[in-house]
Amino acid sequence: MSEGKLAGRAAIVTGGAQGIGAGCARRLAADGAQVLIVDTDGDLAQATAKGITESGGMVAVLVGDISKQETAKGMVEEAVSRYGRLDILVQNAFGVGGSAFGGGALEVEPEGWQGGIDVLVSALYLGAKYAVPAMEASGVAEGFDTAPYGQIGMHTGEPPKTEVGRIVNMSSVHGLLQAAGMLVYEAGKSAVIGMTRQMAIDFGPLGITVNAIAPGHIITEKLDAMWREFGNEKGHRLFELQYPVRRLGRPEDIANAVAFLCSSEASFINGVTLPVDGGLSIQLQENIVMEVKDYIQKNPDIRTVFDRFEAMKERS
Ligand SMILES: NC(=O)c1ccc[n+]([C@@H]2O[C@H](COP(=O)([O-])OP(=O)(O)OC[C@H]3O[C@@H](n4cnc5c(N)ncnc54)[C@H](O)[C@@H]3O)[C@@H](O)[C@H]2O)c1
């Protein structure tokens, strides 16, 4: 068996071909878990898997669209047949876009609404529906039943189930705070928080914890490319100035939080949405605006990744 705090555990990471999901897949594998990456992009997923294997990690790839029921069912079957068990599900994939998806209720078309909600929300319900019975059937991985039950407290009855499984759902700071003209994404990411709390209550008695992460602006491969195409250094600095830690995030920042929530150390954490955003979402907006006002006035040629929306409108 490999070493690491997740050794002996089997994990599924959706959207693990690149970005935050790839960071999570790399980290869980580095911590000893056997990982199944599920992604629509088979080539990228294989490239990421190759890197993980070369670093000594255990990983496989399943190509599929997580909004489809057959993928949810298939990924769980694949993990169980390959690794003999399932302990961890990281529900991270997201990737719909286009004009039908953007805008408020007046602009969003019904197919854009449905397509977005299918991936953002329904896929997470489907993932849990098939993963939870497999986690229960797998039982507790060797060496993980570490609850000190019976040593403290005035307990009665059987010890509670613990360490049976972990689900981590990817929300966003857009699930905590809403941005104008982004109905589908904001509604979807808010729903992830509610669904996480519901699942935490439903699956806690089974020994399965369910938590969410709300990342701030994370510079993935895609976002880095967008910054280079549409932004400039002054715009990047403007974003950094809005973060109390004065930097934007990296996939590793999210992967660290996911690995912690999946570890035994987090067995009493259930139903939380953990912002991993450098403090972005705890600030009062009125004050941030005043803090960056001078910077914006001194740098009228600021361009940010948000300029892509204007560029997209001009192109269409
Ligand atoms: N990057 C950020 O700044 C940021 C901030 C907050 C939240 N998030 C959330 O984190 C998650 C990952 O974001 P990212 O920026 O790493 O994205 P990304 O676009 O870099 O990677 C997403 C991956 O998901 C895959 N994917 C898309 N739709 C899929 C589907 N239907 N089935 C299977 N795979 C699919 C893509 O092929 C891709 O490999 C998303 O849920 C996103 O909403 C990202």
Side-chain angles (χ1 to χ4, degrees):
M1 192 188 282
S2 69
E3 290 179 6
K5 65 181 177 184
L6 299 178
R9 287 187 169 183
I12 292 173
V13 180
T14 71
Q18 60 189 316
I20 292 172
C24 293
R26 279 192 287 270
R27 177 59 198 266
L28 296 184
D31 282 348
Q34 306 172 93
V35 178
L36 178 68
I37 291 175
V38 182
D39 205 292
T40 44
D41 192 328
D43 291 344
L44 261 182
Q46 289 297 352
T48 296
K50 187 165 177 277
I52 291 173
T53 308
E54 284 168 0
S55 306
M58 281 175 288
V59 65
V61 168
L62 180 77
V63 178
D65 175 348
I66 47 117
S67 66
K68 305 278 184 251
Q69 192 171 357
E70 63 265 24
T71 303
K73 191 165 177 282
M75 69 187 186
V76 170
E77 286 170 357
E78 178 72 18
V80 171
S81 87
R82 205 172 257 278
Y83 302 133
R85 57 183 306 106
L86 180 64
D87 308 275
I88 293 167
L89 173 63
V90 180
Q91 308 216 77
N92 160 83
F94 169 68
V96 284
S99 54
F101 174 79
L106 301 184
E107 293 81 32
V108 170
E109 298 300 337
E111 65 273 25
W113 167 263
Q114 198 54 58
I117 294 302
D118 282 352
V119 181
L120 287 162
V121 186
S122 308
L124 278 58
Y125 138 72
L126 287 171
K129 182 175 180 59
Y130 291 101
V132 166
M135 288 176 182
E136 277 196 280
S138 305
V140 181
E142 209 185 315
F144 278 96
D145 194 3
T146 54
Y149 198 72
Q151 292 163 25
I152 52 162
M154 298 174 68
H155 65 87
T156 55
E158 287 298 303
K161 289 184 181 157
T162 181
E163 301 301 327
V164 173
R166 296 278 190 269
I167 298 177
V168 181
N169 296 324
M170 207 55 72
S171 180
S172 169
V173 287
H174 288 262
L176 302 170
L177 302 164
Q178 318 304 129
M182 294 182 68
L183 175 75
V184 181
Y185 193 71
E186 313 304 78
K189 290 301 186 186
S190 301
V192 171
I193 294 172
M195 195 160 53
T196 297
R197 294 161 66 129
Q198 182 66 43
M199 289 180 180
I201 295 169
D202 291 340
F203 304 144
L206 308 178
I208 298 167
T209 65
V210 187
N211 294 292
I213 293 190
H217 196 89
I218 306 299
I219 302 292
T220 57
E221 300 90 331
K222 265 192 205 165
L223 264 177
D224 189 43
M226 283 181 200
W227 267 105
R228 285 171 202 286
E229 186 176 355
F230 300 106
N232 60 17
E233 279 179 30
K234 287 176 180 169
H236 201 266
R237 185 66 191 146
L238 174 66
F239 267 46
E240 289 173 340
L241 288 172
Q242 295 172 72
Y243 281 73
V245 296
R246 295 295 186 265
R247 71 170 176 89
L248 303 181
R250 301 172 297 236
E252 294 76 21
D253 293 314
I254 307 303
N256 288 339
V258 169
F260 168 65
L261 289 174
C262 292
S263 74
S264 292
E265 289 153 1
S267 69
F268 203 50
I269 301 176
N270 192 26
V272 305
T273 295
L274 178 65
V276 183
D277 67 351
L280 176 77
S281 60
I282 53 157
Q283 302 167 105
L284 206 52
Q285 287 103 344
E286 291 166 349
N287 295 60
I288 308 178
V289 173
M290 296 316 288
E291 275 173 33
V292 296
K293 175 177 69 81
D294 290 345
Y295 180 82
I296 294 172
Q297 282 173 344
K298 279 184 199 143
N299 297 286
D301 55 339
I302 281 170
R303 289 188 65 77
T304 81
V305 71
F306 285 8
D307 284 291
R308 76 182 186 277
F309 298 121
E310 280 308 308
M312 275 158 62
K313 265 190 222 154
E314 280 163 24
R315 281 177 203 168
S316 65

